[in-house]
Amino acid sequence: INAEYGFLNEKAPPLFQKHLADFLDTVYGCRGPREVDTGAPRFRERPDVLISSVLSILNTGTDVAGDFERTAKGAQKWLDEALEQSGPIRSALLSACFVRMRALMGLRELPKLKSVQFLAAVREASIAIGASHGLTADQVSMLTIEEVEGLQQHQPSLEELNARAADFARACRRVRLPNVLLTDGKFYFPEDAHSDELRVGDNDNDDDDDDDADVMKGLGVSSGVVEGVCRIVFDPNEAVLDNNSVLVCPSTDPAWTPLFMTLRALICDTGGQLTHGSVVCRELGKPGVVLSNATTRLQTGDRVRVDGRTGKVTVLSRRRE
């Protein structure tokens, strides 16, 4: 995409170049997939991630502004109804609270943003130090802090760095996130749901045992009922979605947000009512469900019905091999 649209070699249309450069030069350029990992590239290093998201929205004809407007009108309608059912004093208090909430809600992201800015600065400094010793950004990401500080005295061999990168890739493929992590270090996976020590399930409903291969019950995190085609995605950089796609992924962070503009619904392996994907789904009016092991129980191409209120995911048809 970079080669086609020429962003990196400044061959893009001037207006497009200006607005994208402004976006990347502001605080948002420090963000990106796995942004709390100093080894992960940022948007300013991989602008193609943003470009592909913009193209996806344009190609599907998604009315982003219209979606926001409809969501805002729905919220205002709910507020008006709540105020009508309240007395004058309560109505005035509610109105004042909602005004302040809307004005200040964005501050909830400020601590995370400042942390990411700091981590991006650490990454840039590490890359600069590594470059002075002939190391690429990917190779620098395999170094410890002590090794970065001591590059002048000792530099690990390329064979050792490549071996670390291979170990890291294998670890990423085998990691599973537990449903519950306790303060004493104990953790539980979905298969531990009916253990005597702790009951952990997608929901604590007694009829969870009625799940079958095509009717699965999870945790509803954003209401609404839609049908669509599953797209299993592990890396937002590689996602190809259209406006009929149901995004199925392990979890999401702010780097996944552009994908929400085109998807019909979200299904995550792990999460809760206050995790990133759940909050964004509610803000955009998209159904969302947390379903244990969704990325293995569903396949790309499966047609499903997602009920974000009850948490039920029904497979209407399986992908044809």
Side-chain angles (χ1 to χ4, degrees):
I1 294 176
N2 278 336
E4 181 179 353
Y5 287 89
F7 177 82
L8 296 183
N9 55 18
E10 299 184 355
K11 291 183 180 179
L15 185 61
F16 174 82
Q17 182 80 20
K18 178 182 182 302
H19 286 296
L20 189 54
D22 289 345
F23 181 87
L24 296 175
D25 289 340
T26 62
V27 294
Y28 303 109
C30 68
R31 314 216 65 157
R34 306 195 337 266
E35 56 191 9
V36 296
D37 178 4
T38 56
R42 312 290 147 162
F43 282 152
R44 62 170 59 101
E45 301 172 54
R46 291 285 311 276
D48 56 297
V49 176
L50 291 174
I51 297 173
S52 62
S53 298
V54 172
L55 290 177
S56 177
I57 294 172
L58 293 176
N59 290 336
T60 58
T62 303
D63 183 9
V64 177
D67 288 344
F68 276 112
E69 184 178 354
R70 283 187 289 272
T71 302
K73 287 182 178 179
Q76 187 61 49
K77 179 181 178 182
W78 180 88
L79 173 58
D80 292 341
E81 291 175 353
L83 295 177
E84 288 177 1
Q85 297 171 10
S86 306
I89 298 178
R90 183 179 178 85
S91 177
L93 290 174
L94 279 175
S95 181
C97 286
F98 277 112
V99 169
R100 293 185 64 83
M101 181 186 71
R102 284 177 169 174
L104 301 175
M105 185 175 290
L107 292 177
R108 67 184 180 183
E109 176 67 10
L110 189 59
K112 172 72 177 294
L113 174 61
K114 294 303 180 182
S115 299
V116 171
Q117 286 178 320
F118 170 76
L119 293 173
V122 171
R123 174 175 170 80
E124 291 175 3
S126 300
I127 291 176
I129 295 173
S132 66
H133 293 274
L135 298 178
T136 66
D138 290 338
Q139 291 168 339
V140 171
S141 68
M142 292 297 111
L143 299 174
T144 65
I145 293 295
E146 291 75 15
E147 287 173 334
V148 172
E149 294 175 341
L151 277 178
Q152 194 68 38
Q153 291 75 34
H154 171 71
Q155 180 174 320
S157 66
L158 294 181
E159 291 75 14
E160 182 179 353
L161 294 178
N162 291 336
R164 293 181 188 179
D167 289 342
F168 177 73
R170 283 194 295 271
C172 288
R173 288 194 296 268
R174 70 169 179 259
V175 164
R176 294 180 59 206
L177 298 177
N179 271 26
V180 174
L181 179 64
L182 303 182
T183 55
D184 61 1
K186 293 181 180 179
F187 54 88
Y188 297 88
F189 290 98
E191 54 266 30
D192 303 320
H194 305 292
S195 67
D196 294 333
E197 188 173 6
L198 180 66
R199 174 178 172 82
V200 182
D202 295 337
N203 274 336
D204 289 332
N205 298 333
D206 292 336
D207 59 351
D208 280 352
D209 293 334
D210 295 335
D211 281 11
D212 58 40
D214 292 335
V215 180
M216 295 161 275
K217 300 191 73 173
L219 172 67
V221 294
S222 182
S223 62
V225 180
V226 300
E227 296 180 6
V229 179
C230 290
R231 294 288 183 269
I232 312 297
V233 179
F234 294 95
D235 184 347
N237 296 335
E238 301 173 358
V240 179
L241 305 180
D242 56 38
N243 53 13
N244 194 40
S245 296
V246 174
L247 175 61
V248 184
C249 60
S251 61
T252 69
D253 61 31
W256 294 70
T257 303
L259 301 180
F260 284 70
M261 303 303 171
T262 54
L263 60 81
R264 288 185 63 77
L266 173 70
I267 304 175
C268 286
D269 283 344
T270 58
Q273 294 288 355
L274 297 179
T275 50
H276 172 267
S278 306
V279 173
V280 176
C281 276
R282 292 195 295 271
E283 289 177 343
L284 298 179
K286 312 265 184 162
V289 170
V290 174
L291 178 66
S292 295
N293 297 326
T295 52
T296 57
R297 298 164 74 178
L298 298 169
Q299 302 180 67
T300 293
D302 289 348
R303 185 167 186 82
V304 298
R305 178 184 299 116
V306 180
D307 189 331
R309 184 182 67 83
T310 64
K312 182 178 291 186
V313 177
T314 305
V315 180
L316 304 177
S317 62
R318 289 287 182 179
R319 179 186 67 178
R320 294 182 180 180
E321 298 295 342

